[in-house]
Amino acid sequence: MKFDSIKSRLMLMTLICVSGMSLLVVNQHLFTKRLFHLHEQHNLLLHLEQELLQLRRHEKDFLLRHQMDYYHRFTARSERFNNDLAGLSPLLADYALPVEQTGELAQSMHDYQRLFREVVTLQSQLGLTRQSGFQGKLTGIEDDMSRVPFFAYGSEAYQLKVALQLATRNYLLTRESFHRQAVRQALEKLQQAAVISNDGQAQTLTAEYTRVFNQLADAVTTMGVTHNDGLQGAFRRQAHDVEDKLRSVETALQPLITDQQNKVRVYSLSIAAVTSIALILLLVKSFATFHRAFANFVMFFYRCKRQYQKIDTRQLGFAEFKSLAELANEMVESRRDIEKKLAKAEARLQEQNSVAK
């Protein structure tokens, strides 16, 4: 198809505009859809970060208050965290990201939950309150001691028992080895005094207190004397590992979002630029052709006043102007024929007039 007519040029302009707009719409739809999906996953990661912060909050509340309600909250929220985490694996597969990142994150989260359960179990053995666990057993033994005459008020054993209780309370508060050694020394003195007095009940209670305290001290050591030691320290490090792995997944996702945003921008600008350039070139060429054809028509009518010169159709460009030029050339030929006939008629008339004279 030759685009040598005004109609075809207009159709071509319309086609370029429609094609450009269609490409823009398709581009926006495809890339915006992918970008929207990536933002959804990014929002999911932000939600996981918030869930992890809530898990850390429940963890710290339990370690501070020793209430099982916080453990149940932790368990329920960790299940929701795992369910949301499962939605990240398809994303990594779709965008060629390392799928093992979510696997590592899931494993790290599993270890985090396991260590917290171990912390809760060990804390339950130590005692969630003064009346439960090893602490409750020690309190019960102390109550039994108060009902034995050997530990009566004012006796030397009573003073040793008070020193033992004070050292035990200090150890439970500070968990320092100094107070643990003080408890052992007080127990040894009480045991010696009970043996010397040959009091079997006092010996039994002192031995039972020693056994339970040793269990409690071993559990405290296993839990960790400080926040960074023992099971408590391992649990805290595991929590930080979950945070780091979650952050690494977000770090891997962020370049995808940036890349998609850049693609949307580049493709949209490229389509708009190509469409605009094509339209501008077509308009400039069409305007130049129209101007040249119009100038040729003006010159044609100007020359027709003085001479019968035909217009050159090859210089007009547009098919519509060529058709008009052909009609104008036919009009010129017709006028020439008429004038020739008129000249012949005038010549014959003059001849007849001269003969008649």
Side-chain angles (χ1 to χ4, degrees), residues 28 34 62 75 85 126 132 149 176 186 199 281 338 340 342:
Q28 292 294 328
R34 290 168 63 89
F62 174 82
T75 302
L85 181 60
L126 285 170
S132 63
E176 294 180 355
D199 192 319
L281 292 176
I338 293 171
K340 288 179 180 179
L342 182 59

Side-chain angles (χ1 to χ4, degrees), residues 212-230:
V212 174
F213 179 79
N214 287 333
Q215 291 178 339
L216 182 144
D218 292 340
V220 168
T221 302
T222 303
M223 178 69 79
V225 176
T226 66
H227 293 297
N228 297 319
D229 297 330

